[in-house]
Amino acid sequence: MKTLPAFAAATRRVALLLLAVALVGCDDDTRFPAQFDNQFYSIAVGAMNGTPLNEPAALSTYDTFIVRLDGSYNFDVAFDLDGAGRPVIVPQPLVGTASGSSRPVGLQRMGHDFAAVTIAPRSRSDWVLDSAMTVAIGEVIAVQSRPAPCNFDFEPFLYSKLKVDSVNTTTRKLYATVVTNPNCGYRSFLPGRPTD
C-alpha cells in the first residue's frame, strides 16, 4: 500500500478540514433554488367536534388539501371551535399519530396584519410545538410543519401562514386564508418563486 509523503498528507488534511468548515458554515444561499411558487388559497373546513365524520376538518400544508380526520393522520393542523365559538388550531400530533411516524408541528402568533407577515420566523425557540392554540378572528398564525418529503433536506421544515377569516357557529364551519411556501426550508411568503 502506497503512503502519501508527509507534506501531501498534511495538505490533504487541511483541504478536508476546509471543506468540512465550508459545509458546516453553509447558509441558505447554498441550497438548491426553490422549485415552486408560493401558494395562496382559501379553505372552508368543519370543526373537529360537532360535524359529520366525512366533513374535512384539517389541512395538509404540503399539498394544500383539506382532508377529513381518519387513521392516516395525513395533515398538519386540524380546526375546532371552543365552547365560546372561538377558533382553535390543533396540531396533528394532538389528534393522533399514524403507527411509526412523527410529524411535529409548530405554531407562532404573528399579529393581525396578514400582508405584513412576509417571512416565517427564524428563531427556533419561539415556536409552540404540538400545542393547541385558540386564536382570534383575523389573527395571523405561522405554521412550521415537517412533511416526509422534507425529511432529508438541510432544513426539513415547510412554512405557512394562516388566518381564520370567519366562523359559522351554527354549521360549525371555519373559513381561512392560507399562504404556503411549498419549498422545504424556504420561509418567504411573498408572491411568486421564493429566494428565501
Side-chain angles (χ1 to χ4, degrees):
M1 176 179 170
K2 289 187 173 181
T3 59
L4 293 172
F7 176 76
T11 302
R12 183 175 180 202
R13 282 194 297 273
V14 169
L16 289 173
L17 179 61
L18 289 174
L19 176 62
V21 169
L23 289 174
V24 169
C26 285
D27 60 16
D28 291 346
D29 293 334
T30 61
R31 294 176 300 184
F32 288 110
Q35 301 297 306
F36 309 103
D37 289 353
N38 285 341
Q39 302 295 307
F40 292 69
Y41 52 106
S42 297
I43 61 171
V45 292
M48 286 173 50
N49 296 294
T51 58
L53 291 176
N54 62 349
E55 179 90 26
L59 171 65
S60 170
T61 59
Y62 178 74
D63 46 23
T64 68
F65 289 161
I66 57 170
V67 298
R68 64 187 182 88
L69 301 177
D70 62 23
S72 70
Y73 300 107
N74 189 26
F75 62 89
D76 299 304
V77 291
F79 297 85
D80 207 356
L81 294 173
D82 69 8
R86 296 174 300 186
V88 181
I89 300 173
V90 184
Q92 181 261 339
L94 294 182
V95 179
T97 303
S99 177
S101 70
S102 176
R103 193 169 176 166
V105 176
L107 302 175
Q108 192 168 155
R109 297 180 192 275
M110 303 299 295
H112 285 80
D113 189 343
F114 194 72
V117 179
T118 59
I119 193 162
R122 293 193 183 279
S123 169
R124 295 192 190 280
S125 62
D126 293 334
W127 292 97
V128 177
L129 295 176
D130 300 338
S131 294
M133 188 175 282
T134 301
V135 301
I137 299 294
E139 184 177 9
V140 184
I141 304 298
V143 180
Q144 178 191 68
S145 62
R146 189 171 179 164
C150 292
N151 278 341
F152 300 103
D153 199 87
F154 183 71
E155 185 182 346
F157 301 108
L158 203 68
Y159 296 96
S160 302
K161 66 175 179 175
L162 66 84
K163 68 181 173 82
V164 177
D165 298 307
S166 63
V167 300
N168 183 323
T169 55
T170 303
T171 62
R172 299 189 61 78
K173 294 274 279 191
L174 299 92
Y175 302 87
T177 301
V178 188
V179 176
T180 293
N181 187 327
N183 302 282
C184 300
Y186 281 77
R187 297 170 181 270
S188 172
F189 297 132
L190 294 173
R193 187 79 42 100
T195 58
D196 184 19

